[in-house]
Amino acid sequence: MNYKVFESNYKKLGFLILNPETLDEINSDEYKAYIKVLYLPEEYSVTIDFKQYQTKSPSLFFINSNQYLQINKEGKKQGYFMYYNRDFYCVQIHDAEVACDGLLFNNIFEMPMTTLPKKEVLFIEGIYEQIQGEFDNPDSSQEEMIRTYLKQLIIKATRIWKIQQLGVLNEEPSKEMDFFRDFSRLVEIHFRTKHTVADYADILGVAPKTLSNKFNRLELTQPNDIIKDRIILEAKRLLGYSSLSVKEIAYQLGYEDPAYFNRLFTNKVGDTPSNFKKKYLQGKNIQLE
């Protein structure tokens, strides 16, 4: 069976094996509200938000409920798609267990992809087989077992992601790693209302210069750019996937002066919000035809 689902009270987790039939379903809006975990072997092509990723080897993708997902091309080998809601498992509530918020999810690099080293592929595929087994032979502990396998998947992927994406930051004391995670999470929570480095420095209890210097020392993207990039990403999502006007989007992102928002977007993207929307919708229509 290609489709399995666990549902109890408000908790829900579903599991799909990728094939042409389920691909159309995944690319629809049906799972938009859920957190998604994709396991894609080599030769898959996927678009998340506005970036395209090609898998040259087996990879995991962690996609939040507010992100856009489209699988463009299927590889020769079988992939898996899992989706769940926050009632089933919330990484913010269970942060002490998995420590992935601000890394796998809501990270400052906007990188949803974790490429699996060869030695880890069997382990990850084994987890998916165990989850399938829980659906095939359910018993009273099914929910907790599935949640345990999901946690293993998240923990393993977080470890691999940190090695691949954080470079020298991995050599820093754990409190420094926590600082960068906290900054990432705060930007995700507050980007609509807090637009300056000083806003976040205040919440973190440091001077704005101290915050910038921490990023400088490790040659990371500057905090101001991270904040603005997150605002622009949300603007692109709203331009591409909502019927809001540019003025309404500006207000929703905390800009009382739409002209200022227009200039910010144009400087960052190289196109006005109106032109971006027009070109993006044209591109979508071409793909649909």
Side-chain angles (χ1 to χ4, degrees), residues 78-179:
Q78 183 173 284
Y80 301 107
F81 174 80
M82 193 157 51
Y83 66 94
Y84 59 95
N85 61 13
R86 282 180 173 79
D87 290 301
F88 185 86
Y89 194 74
C90 176
V91 295
Q92 286 82 12
I93 291 170
H94 297 278
D95 191 64
E97 293 174 357
V98 291
C100 69
D101 193 24
L103 297 175
L104 282 190
F105 296 100
N106 308 321
N107 66 75
I108 58 175
F109 304 96
E110 291 173 18
M111 171 48 76
M113 181 179 182
T114 306
T115 304
L116 297 174
K118 277 184 184 174
K119 63 178 182 178
E120 303 291 6
V121 173
L122 279 177
F123 177 83
I124 296 297
E125 287 182 344
I127 289 178
Y128 278 101
E129 284 163 17
Q130 295 288 351
I131 292 170
Q132 280 192 83
E134 286 300 318
F135 281 112
D136 293 337
N137 302 292
D139 71 6
S140 59
S141 60
Q142 181 195 32
E143 178 186 343
E144 200 46 50
M145 281 298 282
I146 293 172
R147 192 178 290 111
T148 299
Y149 290 130
L150 175 61
K151 279 192 280 189
Q152 285 184 353
L153 198 64
I154 290 171
I155 290 165
K156 179 64 83 171
T158 300
R159 289 175 178 175
I160 297 166
W161 189 94
K162 286 196 306 196
I163 292 164
Q164 290 176 354
Q165 304 299 335
L166 297 185
V168 291
L169 190 49
N170 284 299
E171 296 159 25
E172 294 290 310
S174 59
K175 65 176 186 178
E176 288 295 291
M177 178 75 78
D178 288 341
F179 182 89

Side-chain angles (χ1 to χ4, degrees), residues 1-2 4 14-19 22 26 36-41 44 59-61 63 69 71 77-83 121 124-132 153:
M1 194 170 125
N2 291 324
K4 305 164 197 289
F15 184 94
L16 286 79
I17 293 169
L18 290 182
N19 59 36
T22 56
I26 291 164
K36 296 163 279 285
V37 182
L38 264 178
Y39 171 76
L40 300 180
Y44 278 78
S59 303
L60 286 167
F61 293 84
I63 304 149
L69 164 69
I71 300 173
K77 294 181 182 173
Q78 183 173 284
Y80 301 107
F81 174 80
M82 193 157 51
Y83 66 94
V121 173
I124 296 297
E125 287 182 344
I127 289 178
Y128 278 101
E129 284 163 17
Q130 295 288 351
I131 292 170
Q132 280 192 83
L153 198 64

Side-chain angles (χ1 to χ4, degrees), residues 1-49:
M1 194 170 125
N2 291 324
Y3 180 90
K4 305 164 197 289
V5 64
F6 168 85
E7 202 161 1
S8 172
N9 298 323
Y10 295 104
K11 294 173 279 193
K12 188 170 183 178
L13 178 141
F15 184 94
L16 286 79
I17 293 169
L18 290 182
N19 59 36
E21 188 183 310
T22 56
L23 214 60
D24 287 341
E25 197 176 314
I26 291 164
N27 285 340
S28 72
D29 285 340
E30 188 164 341
Y31 304 108
K32 195 174 177 184
Y34 294 93
I35 300 154
K36 296 163 279 285
V37 182
L38 264 178
Y39 171 76
L40 300 180
E42 60 272 18
E43 297 179 2
Y44 278 78
S45 168
V46 59
T47 299
I48 296 166
D49 285 326

Side-chain angles (χ1 to χ4, degrees), residues 192 245-258 261:
R192 290 178 185 83
S245 69
V246 174
K247 188 182 282 188
E248 286 169 330
I249 290 169
Y251 292 146
Q252 197 165 112
L253 294 173
Y255 292 96
E256 291 181 16
D257 180 1
F261 167 74

